[in-house]
Amino acid sequence: MPRLILVRHGQSQWNLENRFTGWWDVDLTAKGEDEARAAGALLAAKDMLPTLAFTSFQTRAIKTLHLALEAAGRLWIPETKDWRLNERHYGGLTGLDKAETAAQHGDDQVKIWRRSFDTPPPVLEDGSKFDLKADPRYAGIAIPSTESLKDTIARVLPYYETAIVPALKAGETVLVAAHGNSLRALVKHLSGISDAEITALEIPTGQPIVYELDEGLAARERYYLSER
């Protein structure tokens, strides 16, 4: 039966600093690197070895993938990078300290920006130091100025259907190393989670989530590999 493994990147520097990150490219901390290696070692220990991998255009996810694959002895497998697996774009909140933002705008407003399904944060102004229009990895891509979770799902799911589904149907064991919100999009779809309930779902860093799928790619089971 097809198998899909999801891993959120290890702790990033801005995770540690409690800042909104989104599409800004932030590296892993030493702890994040350890989390990635531990994820790969767990894949090997549980004989859950991927044959194909997908990740985003962002360093923290790419490094997590590579460190995990190295630890699992699978650094050689084919991998595909795509911007549609990027984290949700946090717009004008990018780079801001979450606690300071809550103090300025109020906890309720920040909760709406962070956790509502379809309300995006304020847009990122053109010319901001976090403006990515000159970043060569996004050449020719219509970079969003902000995104809700709904917006993120609208780019992740078509990519899943066109790129990842064919691999699963071909019998590959697929590993996706991505981000909290791009992975929430996949979990929402595969587990049939409602718009209201998905806002409360937290995906921890560096913890492989395994989907055992049937021949039609419906989820038979979802579990954290560390719990098996």
Side-chain angles (χ1 to χ4, degrees):
M1 292 294 103
R3 178 176 284 154
L4 176 64
I5 306 165
L6 309 178
V7 180
R8 182 184 174 193
H9 63 78
Q11 183 194 63
S12 74
Q13 186 60 39
W14 281 14
N15 289 149
L16 177 63
E17 295 174 13
N18 200 34
R19 298 168 73 181
F20 291 100
T21 312
W23 277 40
W24 194 245
D25 204 33
V26 176
D27 209 343
L28 296 176
T29 62
K31 177 182 177 181
E33 293 179 357
D34 288 344
E35 288 176 336
R37 293 188 187 98
L42 185 61
L43 292 174
K46 300 289 187 178
D47 195 26
M48 194 75 68
L49 297 174
T51 59
L52 192 65
F54 294 85
T55 190
S56 71
F57 273 4
Q58 299 184 271
T59 297
R60 57 194 185 271
I62 296 167
K63 276 195 173 180
T64 295
L65 175 63
H66 291 171
L67 290 168
L69 290 178
E70 184 175 21
R74 300 296 253 186
L75 199 54
W76 51 269
I77 68 171
E79 66 180 73
T80 300
K81 302 180 184 75
D82 198 282
W83 67 272
R84 284 165 289 192
L85 293 175
N86 275 19
E87 177 58 291
R88 170 189 172 193
H89 197 303
Y90 274 103
L93 299 182
T94 303
L96 297 181
D97 178 279
K98 293 176 183 177
E100 291 176 0
T101 305
Q104 180 179 352
H105 296 282
D107 289 337
D108 290 345
Q109 180 61 67
V110 172
K111 185 176 180 180
I112 290 170
W113 285 335
R114 290 188 67 191
R115 289 302 184 189
S116 73
F117 179 68
D118 55 7
T119 302
V123 300
L124 182 70
E125 299 295 335
D126 286 343
S128 161
K129 65 179 179 178
F130 300 118
D131 190 333
L132 292 166
K133 290 185 180 65
D135 191 318
R137 84 190 81 184
Y138 300 118
I141 294 169
I143 300 170
S145 57
T146 185
E147 287 181 309
S148 64
L149 178 58
K150 182 179 180 180
D151 296 327
T152 308
I153 291 169
R155 61 170 161 84
V156 172
L157 287 191
Y159 182 71
Y160 171 76
E161 294 291 346
T162 58
I164 299 175
V165 162
L168 291 167
K169 287 184 175 178
E172 304 282 2
T173 296
V174 175
L175 172 62
V176 178
H179 307 264
N181 285 292
S182 50
L183 294 181
R184 284 164 80 205
L186 293 178
V187 170
K188 183 182 190 302
H189 171 69
L190 290 165
S191 294
I193 299 174
S194 71
D195 295 354
E197 291 174 329
I198 194 62
T199 60
L201 178 70
E202 289 283 354
I203 296 179
T205 55
Q207 290 290 327
I209 300 170
V210 178
Y211 271 97
E212 306 287 358
L213 306 170
D214 65 21
E215 291 180 352
L217 301 188
R220 295 189 297 117
E221 196 175 5
R222 177 184 99 206
Y223 57 89
Y224 285 103
L225 189 55
S226 62
E227 297 175 356
R228 291 297 176 97

